[in-house]
Amino acid sequence: MASPKAVASGVNELAQAFINTKLPESKTDIDAMLNTWHRHLADVEDIHLHAAVAEWIETERWFPTIADLRSNALARQFGLPGENEAWALAVTMVNSRDAAVYTNTHIAVRSAVRDAGGPKAFSECSDMGKLRQSFLGAYRARVRDVYKNPKSAMLAINEHSHTAREVQG
């Protein structure tokens, strides 16, 4: 799972990208911070942590919390769309009138859309930033569900894949 080296590399890359972020200066404080990050990211695979860091740097304007990276990395690890991909899928699904788009959208994304107020909330929203945050909060909850109970979550994912293949025909 996530090695101390991968965590340190990820935090270093984030520090280089978000240069205005105040990080610890003493070696003792830096080591303590890295140990905390590693402890909370230890069950994430290196490759998924690296992808989550890269996506964060490319799409966000602030230094992430451990929870931000953990959610995105775990989504990838369990075969779910990353957060930005999930948001794009949600917007596409809500704006499409094609039933196949709905059916082919991952069940975790559909559930998060529902939890964020449903298609009506998307169509009536005047502040997409707030809606995105609401959606991502709901999506992160779905990711946590998968992490806490992977067996039942994987059944839902497999059911989604089976339904999508039937629609595609």
Side-chain angles (χ1 to χ4, degrees), residues 40-76:
H40 294 286
L41 294 169
D43 57 346
V44 172
E45 294 177 10
D46 286 353
I47 191 167
H48 301 298
L49 177 60
H50 177 72
V53 167
E55 182 176 319
W56 192 270
I57 289 170
E58 292 168 5
T59 61
E60 301 297 346
R61 293 187 208 150
W62 63 88
F63 197 88
T65 65
I66 293 169
D68 292 328
L69 289 182
R70 180 178 172 70
S71 175
N72 204 345
L74 285 174
R76 294 166 186 282

Side-chain angles (χ1 to χ4, degrees), residues 14 82 119 137 139:
L14 290 162
Y139 187 68

Side-chain angles (χ1 to χ4, degrees), residues 71-126:
S71 175
N72 204 345
L74 285 174
R76 294 166 186 282
Q77 192 164 310
F78 283 99
L80 302 169
E83 290 183 0
N84 287 327
E85 181 184 358
W87 171 246
L89 290 168
V91 171
T92 299
M93 180 191 81
V94 168
N95 290 327
S96 177
R97 301 202 188 287
D98 184 353
V101 171
Y102 176 85
T103 303
N104 289 324
T105 300
H106 197 285
I107 191 168
V109 173
R110 293 191 323 239
S111 296
V113 166
R114 183 193 64 229
D115 295 348
K120 185 175 181 179
F122 276 69
S123 64
E124 295 177 355
C125 183
S126 61

